[in-house]
Amino acid sequence: METIGDLIIAKYNYWAVIALLIIGLYAMIAKNNLVKKIIGMNIFQTAIILFYISIGSKKGATIPIIVHGHGESSHVVHAADYINPLPHVLMLTAIVVSVATLGVALALAMKIYSQYGTLEEDEISEKIMESETA
Amino acid sequence: MENQLPIIIVVAPLLAALFITALWWFERRLCFPISIIAGVVSLLASIGLLLQVLSGGGVEYRLGGWAPPFGIVYRVDQLNGLILVAVSLVSLLNLAGSRTLAENEFQDKVGAFYALYLLFTAGLLGILITGDAFNLYVLLEIASLTGYALIGLGRRRAPLSALEYLFMGTIGASLYLLGVGCLYLMTGSLNMEDIARILPTILPSNVVVLAFVLCLSGLFIKMALFPLHAWLPNAYTYSPSVVSSLVAPLTTKVMIYAMFRLTLTIFTIDFAFNSMAVRLPILWLAIAAIVMGSLMALAQKRLKKMLAFIVVAEVGYMVGGFWLGNRDGMNGAVLHIINDAAMTLCVFMAAGAIVYKTEDDRLSSLKGVFRTMPVSMAAMVVGGLSLIGVPPTCGFFSKWYLISGGMAAGQYGFVAALIFSSLVNTVLFFRLFEIGYFEPFASGRAHQQHNHTDHIKHSDSIAEAPLDLLVPLVATAVLLIVLGIYSGEIVARVIQFAIPAVIS
Amino acid sequence: MKALGLVAAFCLGGLLFYISFDFPGWGDAKSPASKHVSPYYIEHTMEDTSVPNIVTAVLADYRGYDTLFETAVIFSAGLACFFLLRIPEHKAPAARFYRHLATGITFRIEKGGRLPDDTKEFERIDSVWVPYDVIINMTCRLVVPFIQLFALYVIAHGHHSPGGGFQGGVIFGAAIILFAISNNLRRTLKQMSEQTSALLGSLGVIIYAGTGMLCVLLGAGFLNYGALKSFFGVDPVAARSHSILMVEIGVGIAVTAVMVWIYYNLSSTGKQDEGL
């Protein structure tokens, strides 16, 4: 039976990710300012990136660049010596996607600011109400 | 070239978008011809691919030459072959009719509009054709990002609606990514068929259940299933007309296809329907979607918002039909994807034509529009009859399958919701027809329109929409009737084989 | 709204926490993720592609199709920022600020007034006036070429060390943005106009997609670099290595150009007149 310490060491990466997910999701839903929501979105996506990266680690292994790679004839390569490269590849894509989404979100926020003069959601709703009833 | 068809479908719009961005600075008039050529190439390739699949079974295309699961593969079977043709056809029809409207709305940025349009189409086609779970996420994000940008340049509340759509869409896509991560954690593979092969060896497993719930929730947000539909009405109402007639028919349908693919191929029917108790709750959500969508559509005073709520109700049809779990329901759901894409295109294009001419989409100001825009309103009539479910338009046949599926499964609530929705659609469209046809055309109207901005061209007796919009609109209306007449054939020859044989 | 947010976030977090006890432990070499597909990549990269950096090999060769669309995502983000924000130049700016270099007097010219000729006596400054700081200006001018050189190194050496197209492209873009921040936007636009960045952005993705289509035209499948052996004149494994470099260069060009394009549009809210 594992001790609590063993359990924490085995799982604490997932718990850190879950904490970030909760923070990001709460910020996206509950905050009033649009830029804070955008930051929450970024935290949410970063948490998922950390989740994938932590899947790929192996105890005692090194980065996935084959050590005597250049110019030598073939050496036997053991998979246990190198960490899993696939989550890193996938998360390169996810980071780029999150940057792109951030760019589009900021452009939309700038348009909203130039249209309504404010970035607080409740003030924007009031202005919309006024313009629709007017 | 025949075995390269799968890649041509997706790469043609992508390359065309890149060339438009590069060449548009030098020669403006090239962007429309290049886009049309790309659309036609894509459509022909998808038709060729469907014919290949029908004659020879499934088609597999390996990207980079690597065998699965080490590389990415495209898997085309009857299900996505058919929807590929539908999506490329809808996109091409809308593109053909977009020229005048796009020049009017976007002026200097027309090149960027066409490039974003083609990237959106390429993303959707890629979602339909891929056999790799992570590749689906990447293409989902291309389609989403270009969708947000296209919607954001509308009028009034468009940027705010696009930003809200962005938030909800990103949560949905991130939940899907998290689900794929859980699947990868437990199986070590990203290829859909490979995961399906490995999953039975590790079941029962809590993590797989979590992955299923996360992926499905993510897709539900993106397809706007009640109660996660809050982004859809505003986003589709305030976007430019030429964008809403692209996004409305296609986005939710492709997400529904992704749900099909997830459930049928990755998680397999046995797991999804039998082991998990989600079938009935999702069915109740679908029923709620239909009822709420129809009721909210009744309450609207603006044409496009009414149509957007009808889209919400239609999503309920397809989701409910699938989760009924019997053959008729699934046939109906798949047939309804095709039909709904065509119907939604028809009504949104007609609405776009009307809004272009009258500059106002309030229902009360559409008086007499039958007299000034007879062809557009005729197309709207055909679309409306199809949404109501009147033969020989296509809407009748898919509803027929859905209702018989609901009766066979004993889900009378679903059947009642479908009939209720038909009645509400009847009220909605006949109200529209009454305002447009029977109310007299106010004589002071012609003067009022001259005082508006200088966007309006001439506004006297027959002020029909421009010809390049009318031709695709009429073609779509004709397509609705053709689809209706041939729906038996479509089901018997194509859709039948798309549903796994275990479903009775 | 706050209550709803808390409930939703804690529901998701609680569900994940409950199921996290079933996840494999951290660093476990026997977890399913490390046993199925990835050992093939680790063990066969050298003989398939002769690229020691396994991440680059998987990114650009085994899963190269994902990377093509990832480049298309960043390109469409640049296009989207342009589409949403750009205001064409013929709409005249409100007021311009100039400074007479000899005396240091600054003055404002309203809309429609006569602007000074383009001589060396007057310098146009931004409406949010930033003092001219010699130290920042000269330091950045000296450092920017080295940053760009490092960026090119990162792109080219991606085969053997951590790096590659995306990383190098971002560093190169950051160098240009540093120049824009330390000087002003107009000077940067003169060096690299928006048209150039749009063209380079599409060129980069065209290089990538073009390599794929070249493989199709030479008879193999899309992005099957082994077909390019006749193009490069080497055996298939070395052809893969060279093609990976080619697509990484394409990605680097595209990412650089798009970073700069997004910066131009975001920092000046589309006017591209004055910026950070």
Side-chain angles (χ1 to χ4, degrees):
Chain A
M1 193 61 201
E2 310 174 324
T3 64
I4 298 287
D6 282 338
L7 190 66
I8 294 183
I9 292 177
K11 309 281 184 206
Y12 76 99
N13 59 325
Y14 301 121
W15 297 345
V17 164
I18 292 171
L20 280 175
L21 278 174
I22 294 178
I23 295 174
L25 195 58
Y26 175 73
M28 271 181 90
I29 298 180
K31 290 286 181 185
N32 210 10
N33 189 323
L34 288 177
V35 175
K36 289 189 187 172
K37 286 184 177 233
I38 293 176
I39 294 177
M41 174 177 84
N42 216 358
I43 296 178
F44 190 70
Q45 288 176 315
T46 307
I48 298 183
I49 293 173
L50 286 174
F51 176 74
Y52 268 82
I53 303 271
S54 68
I55 294 177
S57 65
K58 288 183 203 170
K59 218 174 233 155
T62 179
I63 59 171
I65 298 182
I66 299 182
V67 176
H68 21 258
H70 7 287
E72 304 246 341
S73 55
S74 58
H75 285 247
V76 175
V77 176
H78 295 291
D81 291 336
Y82 299 97
I83 63 174
N84 192 351
L86 190 56
H88 291 254
V89 171
L90 302 177
M91 287 306 106
L92 266 175
T93 308
I95 292 174
V96 169
V97 164
S98 104
V99 165
T101 312
L102 181 66
V104 177
L106 286 173
L108 284 170
M110 286 184 130
K111 271 194 90 75
I112 293 176
Y113 185 73
S114 63
Q115 197 175 359
Y116 298 108
T118 170
L119 279 177
E120 303 284 331
E121 246 198 336
D122 45 4
E123 291 175 25
I124 296 179
S125 306
E126 277 174 24
K127 293 205 169 139
I128 293 180
M129 289 291 172
E130 287 167 8
S131 67
E132 299 227 315
T133 53
Chain B
M1 264 292 157
E2 304 87 46
N3 48 346
Q4 309 291 346
L5 284 179
I7 196 61
I8 292 180
I9 296 181
V10 183
V11 170
L14 176 68
L15 278 176
L18 296 169
F19 279 118
I20 289 178
T21 315
L23 296 174
W24 173 68
W25 302 92
F26 304 113
E27 180 54 69
R28 283 201 158 176
R29 290 166 307 180
L30 279 179
C31 48
F32 188 70
I34 295 181
S35 352
I36 294 282
I37 293 175
V40 168
V41 165
S42 203
L43 177 65
L44 291 175
S46 57
I47 293 179
L49 192 59
L50 180 63
L51 292 173
Q52 265 184 6
V53 169
L54 285 179
S55 62
V59 169
E60 178 190 275
Y61 186 86
R62 296 177 177 180
L63 286 151
W66 301 105
F70 306 116
I72 300 176
V73 283
Y74 274 176
R75 276 252 153 68
V76 189
D77 57 11
Q78 288 86 353
L79 177 63
N80 49 2
L82 183 62
I83 305 183
L84 273 171
V85 174
V87 168
S88 43
L89 183 61
V90 166
S91 175
L92 180 63
L93 279 173
N94 193 34
L95 188 63
S98 67
R99 188 181 210 158
T100 318
L101 260 59
E103 295 272 353
N104 185 27
E105 287 264 3
F106 303 121
Q107 291 132 17
D108 286 339
K109 301 186 198 169
V110 172
F113 166 72
Y114 282 117
L116 284 170
Y117 190 108
L118 287 170
L119 282 168
F120 180 77
T121 308
L124 289 179
L125 292 171
I127 296 177
L128 289 171
I129 202 173
T130 187
D132 184 281
F134 189 78
N135 199 16
L136 197 139
Y137 169 74
V138 180
L139 288 158
L140 185 70
E141 284 292 337
I142 285 201
S144 309
L145 273 176
T146 46
Y148 307 145
L150 284 170
I151 291 178
L153 205 59
R155 60 193 91 89
R156 296 200 316 267
R157 270 159 68 164
L160 187 65
S161 316
L163 191 60
E164 285 171 3
Y165 177 22
L166 191 149
F167 286 142
M168 291 208 72
T170 306
I171 296 182
S174 306
L175 285 178
Y176 172 78
L177 185 60
L178 197 55
V180 169
C182 291
L183 275 179
Y184 177 68
L185 188 64
M186 298 309 285
T187 62
S189 170
L190 291 167
N191 184 294
M192 288 184 186
E193 295 208 346
D194 200 40
I195 297 178
R197 188 182 54 84
I198 298 177
L199 273 185
T201 60
I202 58 175
L203 284 177
S205 162
N206 272 344
V207 184
V208 177
V209 171
L210 174 72
F212 184 64
V213 168
L214 284 174
C215 288
L216 264 192
S217 319
L219 287 174
F220 282 167
I221 296 180
K222 299 235 59 150
M223 72 171 78
L225 183 67
F226 181 88
L228 301 162
H229 67 286
W231 57 268
L232 193 144
N234 278 343
Y236 288 1
T237 311
Y238 298 107
S239 61
S241 310
V242 71
V243 167
S244 57
S245 48
L246 169 72
V247 181
L250 294 179
T251 317
T252 47
K253 319 299 173 289
V254 172
M255 302 304 157
I256 293 175
Y257 160 79
M259 176 185 78
F260 280 24
R261 182 54 75 199
L262 207 70
T263 320
L264 290 177
T265 306
I266 301 184
F267 288 101
T268 67
I269 301 282
D270 190 41
F271 173 77
F273 284 174
N274 302 334
S275 323
M276 302 272 304
V278 289
R279 203 163 72 83
L280 282 182
I282 297 181
L283 203 54
W284 294 332
L285 279 181
I287 296 175
I290 300 177
V291 171
M292 286 298 302
S294 309
L295 286 176
M296 295 294 292
L298 262 182
Q300 297 308 317
K301 296 187 180 43
R302 290 182 182 270
L303 178 62
K304 280 176 75 172
K305 206 157 192 182
M306 176 185 103
L307 293 175
F309 276 108
I310 293 181
V311 171
V312 172
E314 298 282 325
V315 169
Y317 285 28
M318 291 177 265
V319 173
F322 179 75
W323 288 95
L324 280 174
N326 54 17
R327 186 155 277 268
D328 268 343
M330 287 205 193
N331 278 342
V334 177
L335 188 62
H336 202 70
I337 290 184
I338 318 287
N339 290 343
D340 195 52
M343 294 193 286
T344 315
L345 176 70
C346 184
V347 291
F348 269 92
M349 268 173 85
I354 294 174
V355 171
Y356 175 71
K357 272 306 181 185
T358 63
E359 294 278 317
D360 185 3
D361 64 342
R362 273 198 292 259
L363 282 177
S364 50
S365 34
L366 293 178
K367 297 185 173 64
V369 76
F370 256 104
R371 215 148 306 175
T372 51
M373 307 181 70
V375 181
S376 313
M377 282 310 282
M380 179 75 100
V381 166
V382 176
L385 289 177
S386 190
L387 280 168
I388 296 172
V390 174
T393 59
C394 52
F396 170 74
F397 295 98
S398 50
K399 239 180 216 164
W400 179 253
Y401 277 106
L402 287 171
I403 291 184
S404 39
M407 306 266 255
Q411 297 289 340
Y412 297 105
F414 186 62
V415 175
L418 285 174
I419 299 179
F420 173 71
S421 163
S422 295
L423 289 175
V424 170
N425 282 348
T426 316
V427 170
L428 288 173
F429 278 97
F430 275 90
R431 183 176 65 177
L432 183 64
F433 300 154
E434 184 192 15
I435 296 178
Y437 195 62
F438 289 114
E439 306 247 351
F441 187 67
S443 58
R445 216 169 155 179
H447 285 288
Q448 243 179 338
Q449 281 184 322
H450 282 296
N451 291 339
H452 274 285
T453 64
D454 31 299
H455 280 299
I456 301 193
K457 316 291 191 248
H458 29 250
S459 51
D460 281 357
S461 46
I462 296 270
E464 188 52 85
L467 188 66
D468 63 328
L469 178 56
L470 279 187
V471 171
L473 185 56
V474 169
T476 312
V478 169
L479 179 69
L480 288 179
I481 302 182
V482 167
L483 274 177
I485 297 176
Y486 282 102
S487 33
E489 288 250 341
I490 297 179
V491 173
R493 302 238 309 237
V494 185
I495 301 183
Q496 193 125 304
F497 303 105
I499 320 282
V502 295
I503 311 263
S504 56
Chain C
M1 213 40 184
K2 286 202 192 294
L4 175 66
L6 268 179
V7 165
F10 275 106
C11 274
L12 178 65
L15 178 66
L16 281 168
F17 182 74
Y18 172 66
I19 301 199
S20 73
F21 291 102
D22 288 328
F23 288 167
W26 193 24
D28 184 7
K30 295 201 205 34
S31 64
S34 312
K35 280 179 35 161
H36 183 40
V37 172
S38 60
Y40 178 85
Y41 291 145
I42 298 177
E43 285 159 11
H44 294 253
T45 303
M46 282 307 286
E47 63 192 57
D48 280 340
T49 58
S50 80
V51 170
N53 186 352
I54 309 178
V55 173
T56 303
V58 176
L59 185 74
D61 194 356
Y62 291 99
R63 293 191 71 95
Y65 192 64
D66 264 349
T67 312
L68 169 64
F69 275 99
E70 177 188 349
T71 322
V73 165
I74 194 74
F75 173 75
S76 54
L79 196 57
C81 286
F82 169 78
F83 183 67
L84 284 171
L85 287 177
R86 187 81 172 95
I87 302 174
E89 281 136 16
H90 57 259
K91 301 191 161 71
R96 291 196 186 194
F97 291 81
Y98 282 87
R99 182 174 64 184
H100 186 218
L101 283 171
T103 58
I105 300 176
T106 59
F107 49 96
R108 182 176 78 182
I109 303 180
E110 288 291 339
K111 189 174 177 164
R114 195 175 83 98
L115 302 169
D117 301 331
D118 201 14
T119 67
K120 298 287 185 196
E121 292 180 1
F122 294 96
E123 179 199 13
R124 183 167 168 202
I125 55 177
D126 293 343
S127 51
V128 178
W129 184 58
V130 176
Y132 176 72
D133 195 317
V134 181
I135 298 180
I136 294 182
N137 211 349
M138 286 310 294
T139 313
C140 290
R141 275 181 65 189
L142 286 175
V143 167
V144 162
F146 291 100
I147 302 180
Q148 293 179 333
L149 198 60
F150 182 67
L152 290 176
Y153 158 77
V154 168
I155 297 180
H157 213 242
H159 281 215
H160 300 282
S161 67
F166 290 101
Q167 296 87 329
V170 170
I171 298 176
F172 203 107
I176 299 180
I177 294 177
L178 177 64
F179 181 73
I181 293 179
S182 62
N183 287 284
N184 58 26
L185 191 66
R186 281 181 298 282
R187 204 176 276 174
T188 321
L189 277 169
K190 247 186 279 203
Q191 303 278 356
M192 183 164 174
S193 70
E194 187 192 28
Q195 181 175 341
T196 314
S197 55
L199 285 173
L200 281 179
S202 29
L203 178 69
V205 193
I206 288 178
I207 290 179
Y208 203 147
T211 311
M213 286 310 282
L214 190 60
C215 302
V216 169
L217 291 172
L218 284 174
F222 190 72
L223 289 177
N224 191 355
Y225 301 135
L228 293 180
K229 58 181 186 288
S230 44
F231 185 69
F232 288 120
V234 293
D235 59 298
V237 176
R240 285 189 186 273
S241 180
H242 295 323
S243 313
I244 291 180
L245 181 63
M246 194 154 82
V247 299
E248 291 280 4
I249 292 176
V251 167
I253 295 175
V255 173
T256 307
V258 168
M259 285 289 135
V260 169
W261 199 13
I262 294 182
Y263 174 76
Y264 286 162
N265 281 317
L266 280 184
S267 68
S268 59
T269 329
K271 291 194 283 286
Q272 293 192 9
D273 210 20
E274 342 178 298
L276 279 175

